[in-house]
């Protein structure tokens, strides 16, 4: 006599279980990537949009193919696939969501593909609050320090940085303003909890050319895999940056693979792979013209620890950094109105809970 009721209960349990699994499998697609994208002077809140040289295909993926325009920014993790020659410059619009940077990502950023990206800005060319990965593509990042005072200036500013897969990076920072400190690559913990595990640079079978009057590379540590220091001779990672054999900060850091065999059509380590039409050549002398400086005698250059000054417009937060030994170029301040970080951890916990609920419900249905 209980058969109909038992069948109905199993039916409802199965429906609930399937709903939980659908939410688990279908929900994270947007939470895992950027919540919004700022590009070419406009802000987009959902993927599936495109413009000249770019396409935001899904929340975590941006395609660039011949893009040449103003700043690109994302408020979460982003993978950018490069094809052909691309360039990005900081936005000069008074109400822009990004200022002083060519590319700014509040999360992790991976640059990959067969193309190249040339980025420029006044304070930094590329700013990534967490980890930056350059995988197989070519990146030229330059900050000129225009109208910058009392701040750190760098071609690349990130929480961590990895160059791998034959990637090629040129990063240069310069500036003549009062109190400016210039770096090629500057690793800093943007207050997002990376701690001692962050602020590190790794290069694996790839090329890096970093130039700055106050240090080519500023970091807490680093590693070289299948690569070597070409400059400085006898270079080494310490808690502060890359030092030369005399123990001074090296203003020019060059890393190349142990066996640097350029691909066909190339003549030296840092040229764009393929050397074909539409690709920009980036050579070892790409940082030429940057101001030289005497190597610093203090090897213990400390990274940012003090929150920077913040100037806020109606739509964006412009972060200012004092250039003392404890300064930061940018932080994720609690009052920041620009590009907040997504709560991925909360979604992961909810997903696991729903998955377990679905399994238990299905098991119950089978026993009934």
């Amino acid at each position: 006599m209980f058969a109909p009721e038992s069948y109905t209960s199993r039916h409802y349990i199965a429906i609930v279980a399937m709903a939980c699994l659908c939410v688990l499998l279908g929900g994270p697609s947007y939470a895992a990537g950027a919540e919004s994208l700022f590009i070419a002077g406009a802000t987009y809140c959902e993927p599936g949009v495109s413009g000249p040289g770019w396409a935001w295909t899904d929340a975590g993926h941006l395609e660039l193919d011949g893009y040449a325009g103003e700043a690109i920014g994302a408020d979460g993790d982003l993978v950018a696939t490069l094809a052909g020659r691309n360039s990005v410059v900081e936005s000069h619009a008074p109400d822009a969501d990004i200022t002083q940077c060519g590319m700014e990502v509040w999360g992790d950023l991976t640059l990959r593909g067969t193309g190249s990206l040339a980025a420029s800005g006044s304070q930094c060319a590329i700013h990534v609050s967490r980890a930056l990965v350059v995988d197989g593509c070519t990146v030229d990042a330059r900050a000129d320090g225009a109208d910058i005072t009392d701040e750190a200036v760098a071609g690349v500013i990130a929480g961590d940085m990895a160059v791998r897969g034959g990637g090629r990076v040129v990063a240069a920072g310069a500036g003549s303003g009062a109190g400016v400190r210039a770096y090629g690559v500057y690793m800093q913990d943007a207050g997002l909890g990376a701690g001692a595990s962050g602020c590190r640079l790794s290069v694996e079978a790839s090329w890096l050319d970093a130039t700055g009057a106050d240090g080519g590379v500023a970091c807490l540590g680093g590693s070289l895999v299948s690569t070597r220091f070409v400059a400085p001779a006898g270079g080494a990672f310490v808690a502060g940056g890359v030092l030369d054999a005399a123990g001074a900060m090296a203003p020019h850091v060059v890393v190349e693979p142990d066996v640097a065999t350029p691909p066909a059509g190339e003549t030296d380590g840092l040229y764009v792979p393929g050397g074909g039409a539409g690709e920009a050549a980036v050579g070892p002398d790409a940082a030429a013209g940057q101001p030289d400086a005497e190597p610093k005698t203090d090897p213990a250059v400390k990274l940012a620890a003090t929150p920077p000054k913040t100037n806020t417009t109606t739509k964006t937060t412009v972060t200012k950094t004092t250039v003392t030994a404890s300064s930061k170029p940018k932080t994720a301040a609690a009052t920041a109105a620009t590009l907040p970080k997504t709560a991925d951890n909360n979604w992961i916990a909810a997903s696991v809970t729903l998955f377990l609920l679905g399994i238990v419900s299905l098991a119950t249905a089978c026993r009934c």
Side-chain angles (χ1 to χ4, degrees):
M1 71 174 60
F2 299 104
E5 181 178 353
S6 177
Y7 173 79
T8 302
S9 298
R10 290 198 302 271
H11 182 67
Y12 286 140
I13 291 173
I15 291 175
V16 171
M18 292 304 297
C20 292
L21 290 176
C22 287
V23 171
L24 171 66
L25 297 176
S29 61
Y30 284 86
E35 290 186 352
S36 63
L37 179 76
F38 176 85
I39 185 169
T43 300
Y44 302 91
C45 296
E46 293 185 1
V49 292
S50 62
W54 66 274
W56 189 23
T57 56
D58 59 63
H61 189 209
L62 174 67
E63 295 179 355
L64 298 178
D65 187 354
Y67 177 78
E70 292 190 345
I72 296 176
D75 67 347
D77 298 344
L78 188 67
V79 174
T81 299
L82 308 179
R85 181 179 178 179
N86 302 276
S87 63
V88 59
V89 299
E90 69 176 272
S91 176
H92 295 286
D95 59 347
D97 285 346
I98 301 174
T99 59
Q100 299 183 309
C101 294
M103 193 168 193
E104 185 171 18
V105 173
W106 288 93
D108 297 328
L109 172 64
T110 297
L111 298 173
R112 67 184 186 185
T114 59
S116 65
L117 175 66
S120 63
S122 53
Q123 184 178 4
C124 61
I126 298 175
H127 174 256
V128 181
S129 67
R130 293 190 174 179
L132 168 64
V133 175
V134 177
D135 191 353
C137 56
T138 297
V139 174
D140 187 318
R142 300 170 185 270
D144 58 17
D147 300 321
I148 302 297
T149 58
D150 298 321
E151 297 181 16
V153 172
V156 173
I157 298 174
D160 289 285
M161 182 175 175
V163 188
R164 66 193 188 198
R168 299 163 185 264
V169 175
V170 171
S176 58
V180 166
R181 295 176 64 85
Y183 302 91
V185 173
Y186 190 97
M187 301 289 96
Q188 53 101 31
D189 173 14
L192 297 178
S197 64
C199 305
R200 301 182 65 84
L201 169 68
S202 65
V203 184
E204 180 176 351
S206 299
W207 287 259
L208 172 68
D209 189 319
T211 305
D214 294 282
V217 173
C219 60
L220 289 182
S223 63
L224 302 181
V225 179
S226 300
T227 55
R228 60 189 173 88
F229 282 115
V230 175
F237 287 107
V238 298
V242 175
L243 305 187
D244 60 21
M249 284 289 290
H252 188 199
V253 175
V254 178
V255 175
E256 291 185 357
D258 288 332
V259 181
T261 304
E266 295 187 21
T267 59
D268 210 338
L270 283 177
Y271 287 87
V272 175
E279 300 284 333
V282 183
D285 60 346
Q290 301 296 339
D292 293 328
E294 292 292 330
K296 304 302 178 184
T297 57
D298 181 7
V301 175
K302 301 299 182 181
L303 296 188
T306 305
K309 300 176 290 182
T310 303
N311 295 340
T312 305
T313 64
T314 56
K315 294 179 64 177
T316 183
T317 297
V318 179
T319 25
K320 300 283 187 177
T321 305
T322 57
V323 200
T324 60
S326 60
S327 62
K328 278 188 182 178
K330 290 176 180 278
T331 63
T335 58
T338 302
L339 305 179
K341 180 61 189 161
T342 57
D344 295 334
N345 291 336
N346 293 337
W347 178 259
I348 292 173
S351 298
V352 172
T353 302
L354 289 173
F355 178 76
L356 294 176
L357 177 60
I359 295 298
V360 172
S361 299
L362 287 175
T364 304
C366 292
R367 290 194 183 98
C368 295

